Amino acid sequence: MTPSEMLDAFARDEEALPWDAIAYARANWAEAGPALLGALADFVEKRDRTERAHGILFFGLLLMMEKRETAAFAPLARLAREGEALFDILGESAETLLHRIFAGVFDGDVDRLWSIIEAPHGDEFIRGAALQTYAWLAMSKRETLEAAEARFMQAFKTLEPKEPSPVWVDLAMTAATLNLSRCIPLMRAACRKGYIPARAIKMKDLEEEFAIGRSDFFRVSAQFARENAPIDDIFAEMEHWTPASQDEIAEGEDDPLEEEADPGTPIVNPTRNVGRNDPCPCGSGNKFKKCCGASI
């Protein structure tokens, strides 16, 4: 296989994973890596944003995470600041994988990582993923807690937008996870101003999160570092991601909603088929991600 053939295999829209191309990339990174970085550069520079490019970079970003390809971090950060282009590549899996991809390709430039978090027009979920990556850096002792506290205290004063937003919730939850107690007064102020909506999380809940952190911070930090680290074999994990079908549930698996329902009452989840950029089903006129989806 050649790098060109590898790219062609990644671009094909097939249900099965392109294992031959994945194996080639892993075994021949000296040739495969530059080809994938070139595809990333073309996408960032808007030379190629076709469906073919999306397919290539879906596999490319996951492989770059596996290979700890730090040369990808600068263009990836630029793409992340742009807005939602990363969702065009990764789809909804971005919400579970993006922070681990950032961690895998992180090149040591903390300011660049924070440029994603602070991007005023960036996608809220992408900014939250960058915050989670930063928490991973601190929990895995790649950044000191003193440095983290200083950055968070500044962020509580300057973060945009100055309105309710999921990124404020993520900022508060990450500060609580890191047990940055000097941030508590600033967090309370953000709650009073409504930046952290009470329907998303209450200050009492945040303070309870701090209490958990204080009681066993070292154990919590070690667990967090493990659970948010870059994945070494993402494709093996992906093979086990298929959710249980309704047929499987009917054959004996417990339905997690069954105990909550009244007998004879159909269960309706109004957000089950709602996309992040679809109108919110509550009728507010806002996008789902900026309304009811902000607290999910």
Side-chain angles (χ1 to χ4, degrees), residues 95-107:
E95 294 178 23
T96 56
L97 284 177
L98 190 53
H99 68 289
R100 303 182 87 160
I101 294 173
F102 285 152
V105 302
F106 181 64
D107 63 0

Side-chain angles (χ1 to χ4, degrees), residues 80-146:
R81 293 191 298 269
E82 178 183 312
E84 299 188 3
L86 281 174
F87 283 96
D88 293 338
I89 297 170
L90 294 171
E92 295 306 315
S93 62
E95 294 178 23
T96 56
L97 284 177
L98 190 53
H99 68 289
R100 303 182 87 160
I101 294 173
F102 285 152
V105 302
F106 181 64
D107 63 0
D109 191 334
V110 178
D111 288 338
R112 182 174 284 138
L113 179 62
W114 269 89
S115 74
I116 303 171
I117 297 166
E118 294 171 336
H121 304 296
D123 181 272
E124 298 98 333
F125 289 95
I126 292 176
R127 296 169 75 184
L131 271 166
Q132 199 165 353
T133 300
Y134 184 76
W136 172 77
L137 291 177
M139 292 292 204
S140 54
K141 300 181 180 179
R142 291 167 172 81
E143 176 82 328
T144 67
L145 290 176
E146 291 78 12

Side-chain angles (χ1 to χ4, degrees), residues 1-24:
M1 182 173 283
T2 66
S4 179
E5 290 170 337
M6 173 197 70
L7 297 180
D8 288 342
F10 289 158
R12 284 195 287 269
D13 185 13
E14 297 178 354
E15 186 174 343
L17 291 172
W19 282 114
D20 289 347
I22 292 168
Y24 168 81

Side-chain angles (χ1 to χ4, degrees), residues 130-168:
L131 271 166
Q132 199 165 353
T133 300
Y134 184 76
W136 172 77
L137 291 177
M139 292 292 204
S140 54
K141 300 181 180 179
R142 291 167 172 81
E143 176 82 328
T144 67
L145 290 176
E146 291 78 12
E149 194 159 57
R151 285 186 180 272
F152 273 77
M153 291 182 72
Q154 181 65 22
F156 273 108
K157 297 173 183 177
T158 61
L159 195 74
E160 298 286 346
K162 292 293 192 292
E163 61 186 36
S165 170
V167 73
W168 281 99

